[in-house]
RNA sequence: GGGCCCGUAGCUCAAUGGUCAGAGCAGAGCGCUCAUAACGCUUAGGUUGGGGGUUCGAGUCCCUCCGGGCCUACCA
């Protein structure tokens, strides 16, 4: 038994995430966690809301709430949606927790004592009307290059020129529109990543098996231009982890907080500590996952994230941990995903384009979405959601291939033998051939899951489902029943046994349906089919079952068309 | 500007430099009647974006052009 630590990139607090966010980190992480648990490994699966930063403050202001209240409420909403999608976190924490405050400050202190933090004075734009410093992208004005009047302080969206906020003509606050801006000097802490470049580079180079998407992004940041740059890790905000605290090896940081990208990954660790707190466990319970000197040396740590998160997980966070000079567990495998597009364009939170997590669950149960999203995960390149494709996949894969299989064999058995596994007959060459085929497929499926090849695993699982239909068609128990009822009984007994077998294999993808299948077959204890032959005769003659409700309904053309129109834009 | 990724059947995607480039869906034909009109079998469909090159051999490696996407460090 191995110990697997799994983290999903933290969803930001300011609203409900769309399906692209879901498939890029939380959902595949859940698939992997469920699979590893099913294989008997000890799993710690951690996620949390990422709650600090300017967007959270602005969203709270817009909602007319104190930011702490807003975050608490939105955390509850996101936790509820996570449950709705059956995301099996061991803990879903909050980056604003007391644990994270303490650990963030501790690590910053260690970095400071190691000489890896310096104070840098810089000039930033301050908005008197808004009472806050403005991040570059929150300053708008006219582009000096092309004259576009809504250019942002970091870049002009019209001509793509990189800008400095002070380049803008007639700059104004993107928050309030106020032109009452001034440039003020402010001091910030910088993490001296440059001095860690060699160590990080060597560490990245040693990861031969990481996805090309992961290493190519990491290497670009390491080597591009002048290489890895020092990075500001504080901001002039109220909401966050205070950068001035007792024992801090610097002074003058009052009123400043750590930058979200400094404290967010630390929350992976803190959330594990929160988990221990919630369960009344001691410090050692979480430290054995994270401290290589306290038991984590044999942990395999796997992270899941969208490609936009890769630099922070391959460079900044490792720099924080390495620089602390404490034996923290570093990630072993970084699984990154491309983007999921929506019907010819991008998902857009601001324009309400695409399907958001709450909307998805209001239309169809989680399993439908889980299956489509995972079987189309954007692993090799960006992928695209279309309603036609979604409808086709759900109807064909789930309703026809799997759902109808369960339906046809349970109803056939009920009609000919009653609602119990029939006795009589024996396996012949056809059954042995099925066993051989399924054994090979289960091995291939497991290999894909171990390698986190999500789409390939889904394709193999579907083939395993289809094998049941092929077998039934070939054995034709409805015909055999007339002149060789013993043979029909043996066929039916085997086919009935395929249901708990399928349920166990499918549970990581479609946990609810798998549960329904096991409940209907009264086989709740069915685990991973390590021994396929034994599993396929696990339900003995006489074992009672019930014919389950329709597992998956079909999506009609009319509702597909209606959804297509409803989610086209403007939420 | 620089960099990275992608381009394969109508659609979504596979293919350590090595049999005839493969699956699923959609299409065509046949079969079955247990089943959610479901299932199975057979079959058609490709100058692997274009053009050059390396090689005994290229979807795969190199160059170039075309097209799409992403990143470029203060949104997260």
């Amino acid at each position: 038994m191995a110990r697997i630590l799994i983290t999903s990139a933290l969803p930001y607090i300011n609203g409900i995430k769309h399906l692209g966010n879901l498939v890029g980190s939380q959902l595949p992480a859940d698939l992997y966690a469920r699979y590893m648990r099913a294989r008997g490994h000890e799993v710690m699966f951690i996620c949390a809301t990422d709650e600090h930063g300017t967007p959270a403050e602005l969203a709270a202001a817009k909602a007319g709430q104190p930011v702490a209240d807003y975050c608490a409420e939105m955390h509850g909403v996101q936790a509820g949606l996570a449950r709705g999608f059956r995301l099996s976190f061991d803990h879903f924490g909050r980056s604003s927790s007391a644990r994270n405050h303490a650990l963030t400050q501790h690590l910053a202190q260690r970095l400071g004592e190691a000489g890896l933090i310096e104070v840098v004075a810089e000039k930033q734009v301050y908005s008197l009307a808004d009472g806050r410093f403005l991040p570059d992208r929150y300053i708008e004005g006219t582009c000096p290059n092309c004259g576009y009047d809504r250019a942002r302080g970091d870049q002009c969206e019209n001509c793509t020129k990189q800008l400095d906020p002070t380049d803008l003509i007639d700059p104004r606050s993107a928050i309030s529109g106020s032109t009452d801006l001034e440039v003020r000097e402010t001091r910030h802490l910088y993490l001296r990543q440059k001095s860690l470049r060699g160590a990080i580079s060597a560490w990245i180079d040693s990861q031969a098996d990481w996805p090309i998407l992961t290493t190519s992004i990491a290497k670009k940041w390491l080597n591009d231009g002048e290489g890895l740059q020092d990075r500001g890790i504080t901001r002039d905000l109220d909401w966050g982890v205070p950068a001035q605290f007792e024992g801090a090896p610097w002074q003058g940081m009052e009123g400043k907080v750590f930058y979200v990208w400094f404290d967010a990954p630390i929350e992976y660790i803190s959330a594990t500590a929160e988990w221990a707190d919630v369960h009344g466990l001691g410090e050692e319970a979480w430290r054995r996952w994270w401290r290589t000197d306290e038991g984590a040396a044999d942990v395999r740590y796997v992270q899941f994230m969208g490609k936009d998160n890769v630099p922070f997980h391959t460079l900044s966070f490792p720099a924080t941990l390495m620089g602390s000079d404490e034996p923290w567990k570093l990630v072993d495998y970084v699984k990154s995903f491309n983007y999921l597009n929506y019907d010819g364009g991008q998902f857009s939170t601001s324009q309400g384009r695409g399907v958001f997590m709450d909307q998805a669950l209001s239309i169809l149960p989680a399993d439908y979405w889980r299956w489509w999203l995972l079987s189309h995960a954007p692993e090799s390149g960006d992928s695209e959601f279309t309603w036609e494709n979604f409808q086709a996949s759900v109807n064909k894969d789930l309703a026809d291939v799997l759902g109808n299989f369960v339906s046809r064999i349970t109803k056939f058995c009920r009609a000919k033998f009653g609602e119990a596994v029939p006795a009589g007959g024996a396996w012949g060459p056809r059954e042995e051939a099925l066993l051989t085929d399924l054994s090979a497929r289960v091995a291939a499926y497991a290999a894909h899951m171990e390698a986190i090849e999500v789409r390939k695993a889904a394709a193999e699982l579907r083939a395993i489902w289809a094998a049941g239909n092929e077998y039934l068609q070939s054995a034709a128990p409805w015909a055999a029943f007339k002149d060789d009822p013993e043979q029909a009984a043996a066929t039916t007994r085997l086919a009935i046994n395929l249901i708990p077998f399928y349920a166990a294999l499918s549970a990581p993808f479609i946990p609810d349906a798998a549960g329904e299948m096991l409940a209907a077959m009264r086989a709740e204890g069915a685990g991973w089919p390590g021994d396929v032959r034994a599993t396929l005769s696990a339900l003995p003659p006489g074992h009672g079952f019930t014919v389950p409700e329709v597992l998956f309904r079909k999506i009609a053309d009319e509702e597909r068309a209606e959804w297509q129109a409803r989610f086209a834009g403007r939420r």
Side-chain angles (χ1 to χ4, degrees), chain A residues 35 86 91 119 147 150 206 262 294 428 439 460 493 511 539 550:
Chain A
Y35 171 76
R86 305 297 183 254
H91 188 69
V119 178
R150 296 188 61 185
S206 71
F262 184 72
E294 297 179 46
S439 298
E460 195 61 50
R493 188 165 63 250
L539 300 182
V550 167

Side-chain angles (χ1 to χ4, degrees), chain A residues 28-247:
Chain A
D30 181 68
L31 178 79
Y32 190 60
R34 286 176 178 274
Y35 171 76
M36 284 300 176
R37 288 192 197 106
R39 298 310 306 269
H41 300 306
E42 186 181 0
V43 168
M44 178 60 67
F45 179 23
I46 291 295
C47 193
T49 40
D50 177 12
E51 303 194 356
H52 297 141
T54 307
E57 293 193 348
L58 296 179
K62 190 176 176 184
Q65 285 180 287
V67 63
D69 294 354
Y70 172 82
C71 288
E73 185 178 323
M74 287 307 299
H75 175 81
V77 170
Q78 294 210 20
L81 289 169
R83 282 191 296 275
F85 273 96
R86 305 297 183 254
L87 302 175
S88 60
F89 306 132
D90 288 291
H91 188 69
F92 185 61
R94 304 181 57 187
S95 69
S96 60
S97 68
R99 279 286 192 177
N100 201 39
H101 277 240
L103 185 57
T104 298
Q105 291 178 341
H106 167 79
L107 287 169
Q109 181 175 348
R110 291 286 306 186
L111 291 166
E113 289 166 356
L116 290 169
I117 286 182
E118 65 179 335
V119 178
V120 174
E122 55 192 16
K123 295 192 190 316
Q124 291 210 335
V125 174
Y126 186 86
S127 167
L128 285 82
D130 296 303
R132 63 166 67 239
F133 282 94
L134 297 177
D136 291 356
R137 65 165 312 185
Y138 284 105
I139 304 163
E140 283 184 351
T142 300
C143 175
N145 186 52
C146 72
Y148 181 61
D149 67 353
R150 296 188 61 185
R152 296 192 326 205
D154 53 347
Q155 182 177 36
C156 175
E157 286 180 328
N158 188 49
C159 69
T160 74
K161 186 176 174 59
Q162 305 279 310
L163 298 174
D164 202 63
T166 52
D167 296 338
L168 292 172
I169 300 165
D170 300 330
R172 60 185 182 276
S173 163
I175 300 165
S176 61
S178 168
T179 56
D180 195 5
L181 309 177
E182 63 183 38
V183 175
R184 289 188 181 179
E185 183 169 290
T186 181
R187 297 164 74 242
H188 282 295
L189 301 180
Y190 270 66
L191 178 60
R192 299 178 58 203
Q193 298 186 135
K194 278 182 192 170
S195 62
L196 292 164
R197 181 172 172 233
I200 294 172
S201 188
W203 175 67
I204 295 286
D205 285 341
S206 71
Q207 311 298 341
D209 62 336
W210 285 9
I212 188 168
L213 182 65
T214 301
T215 49
S216 66
I217 292 172
K219 286 180 179 175
K220 172 182 166 45
W221 282 55
L222 275 170
N223 303 321
D224 217 43
E226 296 173 14
L228 187 62
Q229 297 298 297
D230 293 346
R231 195 174 176 94
I233 58 166
T234 53
R235 293 291 183 273
D236 289 290
L237 293 175
D238 299 323
W239 176 237
V241 178
Q244 192 64 58
F245 53 90
E246 174 134 4

Side-chain angles (χ1 to χ4, degrees), chain A residues 201-490:
Chain A
S201 188
W203 175 67
I204 295 286
D205 285 341
S206 71
Q207 311 298 341
D209 62 336
W210 285 9
I212 188 168
L213 182 65
T214 301
T215 49
S216 66
I217 292 172
K219 286 180 179 175
K220 172 182 166 45
W221 282 55
L222 275 170
N223 303 321
D224 217 43
E226 296 173 14
L228 187 62
Q229 297 298 297
D230 293 346
R231 195 174 176 94
I233 58 166
T234 53
R235 293 291 183 273
D236 289 290
L237 293 175
D238 299 323
W239 176 237
V241 178
Q244 192 64 58
F245 53 90
E246 174 134 4
W250 47 75
Q251 294 300 320
M253 288 296 133
E254 290 81 6
K256 300 174 194 291
V257 299
F258 287 103
Y259 177 42
V260 287
W261 265 116
F262 184 72
D263 77 63
I266 295 170
E267 169 65 7
Y268 293 145
I269 306 174
S270 305
T272 314
E274 293 168 38
W275 162 86
D277 293 342
V278 166
H279 291 83
L281 302 170
E283 292 292 291
E284 71 285 354
W286 69 265
R287 292 174 76 90
R288 64 190 281 273
W289 288 100
W290 284 102
R291 292 284 297 222
T292 57
D293 58 336
E294 297 179 46
D298 66 344
V299 167
R300 176 167 170 80
Y301 177 20
V302 181
Q303 294 177 339
F304 290 79
M305 69 198 68
K307 59 186 172 186
D308 52 333
N309 274 311
V310 169
F312 305 100
H313 288 80
T314 54
L315 307 172
S316 313
F317 186 42
T320 298
L321 297 181
M322 287 179 186
S324 76
D325 200 29
E326 292 176 330
W328 296 104
K329 176 69 189 172
L330 291 177
V331 67
D332 292 303
Y333 190 79
V334 178
K335 177 71 178 181
S336 54
F337 290 87
N338 288 284
Y339 292 142
L340 178 68
N341 290 319
Y342 179 80
D343 207 10
Q346 295 193 346
F347 276 87
S348 169
T349 301
S350 59
Q351 293 178 35
R353 190 162 188 284
V355 185
F356 290 72
M357 286 173 72
D358 56 340
Q359 300 169 326
L361 290 179
S362 75
I363 292 176
L364 288 169
D367 282 353
Y368 295 60
W369 299 104
R370 290 178 62 106
W371 173 254
W372 190 89
L373 290 168
L374 289 168
S375 62
H376 294 79
E379 289 177 301
S380 60
D382 291 351
S383 66
E384 176 156 320
F385 176 92
T386 64
W387 286 102
E388 289 84 355
N389 191 305
F390 177 67
Q391 178 191 26
S393 293
V394 165
N395 288 357
K396 201 69 198 176
D397 300 347
L398 296 180
D400 292 347
V401 176
L402 177 60
N404 182 58
F405 172 79
V406 172
S407 188
R408 69 191 292 201
I409 190 56
T410 52
K411 287 181 179 174
F412 176 78
C413 185
R414 180 175 62 184
K416 305 297 185 190
F417 301 103
E419 283 183 284
V421 177
W427 283 21
R430 183 178 283 123
E431 286 70 30
E432 292 296 336
L434 175 65
L435 174 70
T436 302
D437 181 46
L438 287 177
S439 298
R441 290 192 180 282
V442 168
Y445 175 60
H448 289 140
M449 292 293 260
E450 302 281 343
I452 324 182
E453 294 272 11
V454 177
R455 280 187 319 216
K456 289 180 182 175
E460 195 61 50
L461 180 59
R462 187 194 187 281
I464 290 170
W465 298 338
N469 284 314
E470 292 163 22
Y471 169 71
L472 270 190
Q473 196 66 33
S474 159
W478 48 89
F481 187 77
K482 293 164 191 162
D483 46 44
D484 189 357
E486 292 277 299
Q487 181 54 50

